[in-house]
């Protein structure tokens, strides 16, 4: 099997639907802890997924951490608390954007996340760009739409922006994530190696294979560590 096919196979193991990962009214969830630094996490099911009985996921945090405090958002927040004092944080669930990244008119759905007025922005998404689109990125270019999406959340000139590549590697998308980080001067975090190693997945912990392919507690911690290291 070629390297390219291995990467395609890896991303296709994520069979958790990007539709309805959270309720529409709850796609943005800010948490005010009385801090002076605001951290916004823009992501998908790895950032947060509401309970979904049909796939054996009973929790409301980053899939598939065993506890809320063990998902990468909360591990990162705990680490940032030590750096800045208590931080405020917000999750923006963007599975719907991934499916229709080319539809810029939908960006306003995440206005509440923009209003959060973040000092630090973590962009951790892309896995749910579905097959036909990700195989034809030259026809529906991702770069300009992702650039516009990120700019939407930038309410401060000195905002720190961190972008990760995909947990399940796919070079066509990973390349765009790297390029936009380099051209815009954002920090780039590599995590695709984790998705190629079962040590960092929740295999055997959940009956639904798509859920089980998500990062386990160790995978979540390493993602958080790599993000915070860039800050």
């Amino acid at each position: 099997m070629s390297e390219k096919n291995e990467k395609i196979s890896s991303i296709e193991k994520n069979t958790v639907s990007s539709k309805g990962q959270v309720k529409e009214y709850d796609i943005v969830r800010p948490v005010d802890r009385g801090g002076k630094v605001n951290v916004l996490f823009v992501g998908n099911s790895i950032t947060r997924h509401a309970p979904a009985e049909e796939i054996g996921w009973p929790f409301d945090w980053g899939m598939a951490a065993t506890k809320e405090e063990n998902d990468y958002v909360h591990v990162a927040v705990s680490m940032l608390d030590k750096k800045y004092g208590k931080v405020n944080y917000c999750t923006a669930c963007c599975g719907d954007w991934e499916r229709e990244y080319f539809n810029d008119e939908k960006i306003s759905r995440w206005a509440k996340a923009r209003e959060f007025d973040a000092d630090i922005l973590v962009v951790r998404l892309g896995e749910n760009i579905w097959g036909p689109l990700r195989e034809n990125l030259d026809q529906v270019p991702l770069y300009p739409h992702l650039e516009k999406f990120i700019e939407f959340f930038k309410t401060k000139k000195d905002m720190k922006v961190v972008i990760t590549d995909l947990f399940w590697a796919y070079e066509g998308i990973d390349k765009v994530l790297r390029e936009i980080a380099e051209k815009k001067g954002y920090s780039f975090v590599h995590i695709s190696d984790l998705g190629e190693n079962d040590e960092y997945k929740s295999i055997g912990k959940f009956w639904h294979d798509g859920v089980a392919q998500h990062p386990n507690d160790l995978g979540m911690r390493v993602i958080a560590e790599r993000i915070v290291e860039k800050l």
Side-chain angles (χ1 to χ4, degrees):
M1 182 180 289
S2 70
E3 182 180 358
K4 182 177 179 182
N5 285 338
E6 285 177 357
K7 292 183 176 181
I8 292 174
S9 176
S10 177
I11 197 171
E12 287 179 348
K13 289 179 182 178
N14 173 31
T15 56
V16 173
S17 174
S18 60
K19 295 182 180 179
Q21 293 186 348
V22 297
K23 299 293 186 183
E24 174 64 27
Y25 67 83
D26 201 24
I27 60 174
V28 176
R29 181 180 286 183
V31 179
D32 185 348
R33 302 162 76 226
K36 295 181 179 179
V37 175
N38 292 348
V39 187
L40 173 59
F41 297 88
V42 173
N44 49 36
S45 58
I46 295 176
T47 296
R48 180 176 157 244
H49 196 301
E53 234 178 83
E54 65 276 14
I55 57 172
W57 173 248
F59 307 119
D60 191 356
W61 54 70
M63 187 179 280
T66 58
K67 298 178 182 178
E68 183 178 62
E69 59 263 35
N70 292 339
D71 73 17
Y72 89 88
V73 168
H74 293 86
V75 173
V77 165
S78 179
M79 292 176 177
L80 292 170
D81 281 347
K82 296 173 184 176
K83 184 178 179 70
Y84 298 107
K86 250 181 193 181
V87 301
N88 308 313
Y89 66 96
C90 177
T91 54
C93 298
C94 304
D96 287 342
W97 178 85
E98 291 173 301
R99 284 201 318 279
E100 294 187 63
Y101 65 82
F102 50 85
N103 188 350
D104 295 332
E105 292 182 2
K106 284 196 168 187
I107 293 177
S108 60
R109 292 176 61 199
W110 290 274
K112 190 175 176 182
R114 176 181 169 82
E115 292 164 7
F116 181 69
D117 195 26
D119 301 288
I120 297 171
L121 171 63
V122 177
V123 180
R124 159 74 298 283
L125 80 178
E127 287 86 355
N128 294 308
I129 294 174
W130 61 295
L133 275 176
R134 66 174 176 252
E135 291 164 16
N136 293 282
L137 290 173
D138 55 333
Q139 297 178 33
V140 191
L142 173 61
Y143 188 104
H145 301 289
L146 177 59
E147 180 181 32
K148 186 174 289 188
F149 193 53
I150 294 173
E151 287 292 331
F152 176 75
F153 299 108
K154 290 180 64 180
T155 56
K156 297 175 180 175
K157 288 184 178 179
D158 60 348
M159 173 189 275
K160 296 179 180 178
V161 181
V162 178
I163 299 178
T164 82
D165 57 9
L166 305 186
F167 181 73
W168 303 288
Y170 188 87
E171 181 55 25
I173 297 172
D174 287 331
K175 178 182 177 182
V176 175
L177 294 165
R178 289 194 302 269
E179 284 179 352
I180 199 166
E182 181 180 350
K183 291 181 180 178
K184 302 294 290 187
Y186 303 147
S187 297
F188 180 76
V189 176
H190 174 58
I191 66 168
S192 290
D193 58 308
L194 305 179
E196 299 299 318
N197 188 336
D198 289 351
E199 177 185 0
Y200 300 104
K201 299 178 185 178
S202 294
I203 295 172
K205 304 292 185 182
F206 297 92
W207 63 261
H208 188 279
D209 187 55
V211 178
Q213 290 293 326
H214 281 63
N216 58 18
D217 289 354
L218 176 60
M220 290 287 193
R221 173 161 291 277
V222 175
I223 292 171
E225 288 173 345
R226 292 184 184 181
I227 289 170
V228 173
E229 184 181 354
K230 292 291 185 178
L231 298 170

